[in-house]
Amino acid sequence: MPCGGIFDLARKEARLRELDARSAAPELWSKPELAQEMLKERATLQKALDGWYGCQRQHGDLVALLELATEEDDEATLHETAREGGLLDERIRQIEFLHMMSGEADANSCFVQINSGEGGTDAKDWAEMLLRMYARYAERHGYEADVVDYLPGEEAGISSATIHVIGEYAFGHLKAENGVHRLVRISPFDGNARRQTSFASVYVWPEVDDTIVVDLKEEDIRVDTFRASGAGGQHVNKTDSAIRMTHYPTGIVVQCQNERSQHKNRSTALKMLRAKLYELELKRRQEEADAVHAAKQTIGFGSQIRSYVIHPYRLVKDLRTGVEVGDTDSVLDGKLDPFIEAYLLAQAGVASGPAAPAGQ
C-alpha cells in the first residue's frame, strides 16, 4: 500500500517507545501536568498506529480472499470483496485526512458561536437553523454538543448562541466553518411570500486543555451575574445563575447560562475565556487570522463563505472551494463533510477532486 509512507510510521513508533520509556520513570508522576500531556500524546500515537496497521491487515485479508474467489470463479464473493475494498479505501482516506490535522489544537474539542446578521427576523431564524445544523453534524460524528449560551430573538429564532462541541478533532474539522453563511428562501415571516436573503456568522475556537498555560490574572476579569434568558423551564429568570466574564486587556466577553448552578456556569465561562485567549495568541503568533477576519466582517452581502439557496432553486455552494451540493435538506441536517473536507484539503494544498454534482 504505497500511501503508507506519508504517515512516517517509523517516527511514530520511535516516539511511542520514547514515551513508554519516559513514563516508566518514577519522578515523572511528581509532575502530573507533564504526565497528563505525555499520556495524551501516547494515546494519539497509539490510535494512529492501530488504525494504519488495522488497514494493512484488512488489505492482506482482502487480497487473499480476492485470489481465492478468482480461482473458484465465486461471483458473490467477488462482489463482497469489491464492497469491502471500497470501505477500506474510505477508511484509508479518512486516516490520511486526519493526518493532515497537525495544528496545535486541531485534536481538541471546540466552541461554536452563531450570531444573526442582516435580514431581521429571517436572519434570527436562519441562525437557529445553523445551530441545529451543527448540533446534527456533531451527532453524526459521535461528538457531544452542549448549548452553553443562548439569546433568543424577539419574534423567532436566536440572536446568538454558543455550543460546546466535545470530541476528538472537533476543532480540526469545524474550524472550516468560520465565516458568514447566507440563506436565500421564501420568507415564512412575509405575508406576501417574497424571497428573502438572510445572513448569520459562525465563529469557532478550540477548547484549551489543562496542559496549555494561559496567562489569566484575576484582576483582569470582571464577573457579572444575570438571569438566564433562554429555554429552561421554571428555573429560568428566577435566579441570577448566569455568568458573564469580561477580560479587560482584550475586551473579550463570554457568558454561560445553561446550568442551574452558578458555580458550574462560572467554570464553563472561565474555560471559554481561556480558550478564546489561547486562540487569539495562536492567530497572532502564526499570522493566521482567517477566522478573526470572518468574525469581524459585516454579516451581510459580499462577506459570505457559503450560500444556501432554497428558492428559486435548491443548491448549497461554498464560495471558497466551489463545492456544490443540491440536496439542501441533507446539508441543513448536518451533512457538511464535502464542504469541510474540501476546504481543509485546499488549505493543506491538496487537490480534493471534483465538486459533488448539484443533484447529490
Side-chain angles (χ1 to χ4, degrees):
M1 303 177 77
C3 62
I6 72 167
F7 296 106
D8 198 357
L9 298 178
R11 184 188 64 80
K12 283 183 168 59
E13 290 175 333
R15 178 59 177 165
L16 189 61
R17 288 193 296 270
E18 178 187 348
L19 290 173
D20 285 340
R22 291 177 61 187
S23 64
E27 61 270 18
L28 172 67
W29 302 102
S30 64
K31 304 174 182 178
E33 290 187 356
L34 178 60
Q36 182 182 1
E37 185 177 358
M38 285 179 53
L39 290 175
K40 181 179 178 181
E41 182 183 358
R42 188 193 184 285
T44 300
L45 285 171
Q46 188 67 62
K47 183 176 181 179
L49 289 168
D50 289 347
W52 177 248
Y53 286 125
C55 286
Q56 282 190 325
R57 288 192 296 271
Q58 188 178 357
H59 176 259
D61 292 343
L62 284 175
V63 169
L65 186 61
L66 178 61
E67 292 175 350
L68 181 63
T70 302
E71 289 176 3
E72 298 184 359
D73 195 23
D74 186 342
E75 186 174 342
T77 302
L78 286 172
H79 282 304
E80 178 64 17
T81 304
R83 187 186 72 83
E84 290 293 331
L87 295 176
L88 176 60
D89 183 67
E90 174 62 19
R91 185 179 175 188
I92 293 172
R93 189 184 68 82
Q94 288 293 333
I95 293 175
E96 290 176 334
F97 183 69
L98 288 179
H99 176 75
M100 291 187 298
M101 293 189 184
S102 56
E104 291 183 79
D106 281 352
N108 292 14
S109 300
C110 66
F111 296 95
V112 180
Q113 184 180 65
I114 303 162
N115 296 291
S116 62
E118 294 180 8
T121 301
D122 279 276
K124 290 177 171 54
D125 187 55
W126 172 224
E128 188 168 46
M129 291 169 65
L130 288 175
L131 177 63
R132 179 188 180 277
M133 183 178 76
Y134 291 120
R136 289 288 292 132
Y137 174 85
E139 181 181 339
R140 289 177 180 277
H141 288 76
Y143 298 148
E144 180 183 345
D146 298 326
V147 178
V148 297
D149 186 35
Y150 187 95
L151 180 61
E154 294 178 359
E155 298 179 27
I158 59 173
S159 292
S160 66
T162 302
I163 57 174
H164 186 195
V165 182
I166 305 168
E168 193 173 27
Y169 290 103
F171 176 67
H173 287 89
L174 285 168
K175 66 183 181 182
E177 295 299 290
N178 272 308
V180 177
H181 296 245
R182 170 178 176 256
L183 173 69
V184 180
R185 64 172 177 176
I186 297 295
S187 171
F189 305 101
D190 188 325
N192 295 318
R194 289 173 293 190
R195 189 170 65 183
Q196 172 74 23
T197 300
S198 310
F199 298 88
S201 69
V202 175
Y203 177 44
V204 183
W205 68 96
E207 180 181 348
V208 179
D209 59 36
D210 293 334
T211 64
I212 298 174
V213 177
V214 176
D215 185 17
L216 192 57
K217 300 176 182 177
E218 188 174 345
E219 60 267 25
D220 288 340
I221 305 172
R222 188 183 77 212
V223 179
D224 299 308
T225 60
F226 63 99
R227 293 187 178 182
S229 58
Q234 295 180 355
H235 170 72
V236 170
N237 295 327
K238 288 190 177 181
T239 62
D240 293 336
S241 61
I243 292 290
R244 179 183 296 110
M245 288 186 178
T246 303
H247 186 244
Y248 291 121
T250 62
I252 291 174
V253 179
V254 297
Q255 62 185 41
C256 181
Q257 57 177 305
N258 67 312
E259 298 286 352
R260 289 175 177 267
S261 165
Q262 187 181 106
H263 176 73
K264 290 182 179 179
N265 282 333
R266 184 188 182 96
S267 176
T268 301
L270 186 60
K271 183 182 294 186
M272 293 168 66
L273 180 58
R274 293 180 70 242
K276 278 201 171 186
L277 289 172
Y278 172 68
E279 175 70 356
L280 186 64
E281 176 59 25
L282 280 183
K283 283 178 168 58
R284 183 183 298 112
R285 193 168 70 224
Q286 300 174 2
E287 297 182 351
E288 294 178 351
D290 290 348
V292 173
H293 292 330
K296 288 184 177 179
Q297 287 174 334
T298 300
I299 312 175
F301 285 98
S303 59
Q304 66 269 16
I305 63 165
R306 190 179 302 148
S307 290
Y308 305 70
V309 181
I310 299 178
H311 183 86
Y313 53 89
R314 302 180 73 84
L315 181 70
V316 181
K317 180 174 181 177
D318 196 294
L319 305 180
R320 303 165 299 179
T321 62
V323 170
E324 300 179 354
V325 174
D327 187 354
T328 56
D329 290 338
S330 70
V331 173
L332 293 173
D333 196 41
K335 292 185 178 180
L336 301 172
D337 298 280
F339 305 106
I340 289 175
E341 292 183 9
Y343 174 77
L344 295 178
L345 288 170
Q347 291 295 100
V350 180
S352 59
Q360 295 184 1

